[in-house]
Amino acid sequence: RQYIGFKEALAFKESQGNYFAINSYGYLGKYQFGLGTLELVGVYDGNHFLNDPILQEKAFNVNISRNKWILRKHIKNSVGKTINGIEITESGILAAAHLGGAGNVKKYLRSNGVKCFSDAYGSSIQIYLKKFGGYDVSSIVADRKAKA
């Protein structure tokens, strides 16, 4: 239930841990990044990204750090609460942000679970909050300026 377990569980859900996966919507790599998110973390070449596992790991770490910074107040105020029968944890919040973006996680938490984003495959923030809850992600440093 440590950070490495969190990363690998999330990667397995996203791509079965395949660095070279491309889904039907064009999301790339082990963690299924969109091009817009890659640009936010400083990666501008999708082909290079797809063929560089080290860069994929770095991009994941940077994105998680950014999301932790963006969601820091929501983490502080929401962890330990129960929404729709799900205990809210830091790791669940960060996984949900990976799926739907920090903004959609904020909407979910502020609406007490009423506004729940789902991706094109039907995976929801709520599913990620539950599935990836309870990991120790305290080693992640919140950093709004991190770049890959």
Side-chain angles (χ1 to χ4, degrees):
R1 304 299 285 177
Q2 301 297 315
Y3 179 60
I4 189 73
F6 169 77
K7 280 183 21 165
E8 293 307 313
L10 191 55
F12 189 80
K13 172 75 170 127
E14 294 292 315
S15 71
Q16 297 186 340
N18 180 357
Y19 284 110
F20 308 103
I22 304 173
N23 77 12
S24 58
Y25 293 96
Y27 287 77
L28 303 172
K30 182 177 179 179
Y31 302 101
Q32 293 293 282
F33 278 98
L35 294 175
T37 300
L38 288 176
E39 288 181 6
L40 286 175
V41 300
V43 176
Y44 301 98
D45 184 340
N47 287 327
H48 176 72
F49 174 80
L50 189 62
N51 291 295
D52 188 340
I54 293 169
L55 181 58
Q56 289 187 38
E57 294 296 334
K58 188 171 184 183
F60 180 83
N61 291 332
V62 166
N63 194 52
I64 288 290
S65 291
R66 285 183 71 258
N67 283 334
K68 187 169 182 174
W69 186 85
I70 293 166
L71 292 163
R72 66 196 181 283
K73 292 177 185 170
H74 289 80
I75 291 168
K76 180 181 177 186
N77 295 329
S78 298
V79 168
K81 292 182 179 179
T82 300
I83 299 176
N84 295 331
I86 299 167
E87 182 182 349
I88 305 302
T89 67
E90 183 177 5
S91 62
I93 288 172
L94 294 175
H98 182 79
L99 173 74
N104 283 317
V105 173
K106 287 180 180 183
K107 288 176 189 173
Y108 180 88
L109 295 171
R110 287 178 184 154
S111 72
N112 202 35
V114 173
K115 295 181 180 176
C116 186
F117 170 85
S118 293
D119 73 5
Y121 296 110
S123 293
S124 70
I125 282 175
Q126 191 163 281
I127 290 168
Y128 273 50
L129 284 165
K130 184 174 183 177
K131 183 173 183 69
F132 300 105
Y135 286 89
D136 178 0
V137 292
S138 61
S139 63
I140 300 169
V141 176
D143 185 351
R144 71 182 174 111
K145 295 184 178 182
K147 294 287 183 188

